[in-house]
Amino acid sequence: MIPDAAIIEEKFLAATGPGGQNVNKVATAVQLRVDVFKLGLPPHAYAKLKILAGSKLTANGELLITARRFRTQDANREDARARLAELIAEAHVRQAKRVKTKPSKAAKARRVDEKKGRSAVKAGRGKVRVD
């Protein structure tokens, strides 16, 4: 789910890495800024997005994604948008609630019996005394 273009702000900057003189001349890296509040996420998704984004989320509530893996602007733009969509999709996934369980009386009794049996085996391993 990629948000509207009105919410996304793109800025192109000089990239680093392979590309020879092309890197010095052309601004191929893309910096994507998205206002998280304008996404209209439900509270659980917003909370999870904050955790997933980590340092990519600014104090103003903007998500900052920088893509410079490829040598062209279009490829980097698609990469940044794909990463944004992946983050938003992952934020919407809810973790299943844990249901508390407790062992039955029979299970507790079996555990105690096994402990007593083990204890008896170990107690029989005492030092041998010569009378």
Side-chain angles (χ1 to χ4, degrees):
M1 172 186 132
I2 298 177
D4 298 340
I7 299 174
I8 297 175
E9 181 186 322
E10 290 176 343
K11 181 179 174 185
F12 293 98
L13 30 117
T16 59
Q21 292 300 311
N22 192 52
V23 171
N24 301 332
K25 292 186 287 186
V26 183
T28 55
V30 67
Q31 191 177 59
L32 206 71
R33 281 182 184 270
V34 181
D35 191 350
V36 178
F37 301 118
K38 290 182 181 175
L39 289 175
L41 297 174
H44 73 89
Y46 174 72
K48 192 166 179 186
L49 184 64
K50 278 177 68 171
I51 294 166
L52 291 171
S55 62
K56 293 177 195 151
L57 195 64
T58 65
N60 300 338
E62 288 185 325
L63 185 61
L64 199 71
I65 297 175
T66 306
R68 57 169 55 110
R69 200 178 339 177
F70 302 103
R71 291 178 60 175
T72 63
Q73 283 184 349
D74 287 336
N76 282 327
R77 177 187 283 138
E78 290 304 313
D79 182 37
R81 286 175 180 247
R83 285 167 41 196
L84 173 64
E86 188 178 310
L87 258 176
I88 293 171
E90 198 171 336
H92 277 88
V93 175
R94 272 194 167 163
Q95 197 170 6
K97 292 224 176 198
R98 185 182 178 278
V99 178
K100 285 186 180 180
T101 59
K102 61 181 186 178
S104 63
K105 284 187 178 181
K108 285 181 183 177
R110 276 195 305 272
R111 184 180 62 83
V112 172
D113 288 344
E114 287 172 13
K115 282 176 70 100
K116 284 180 183 174
R118 252 349 261 159
S119 176
V121 168
K122 289 185 176 186
R125 293 185 188 153
K127 289 186 179 178
V128 177
R129 290 188 306 190
V130 179
D131 289 333

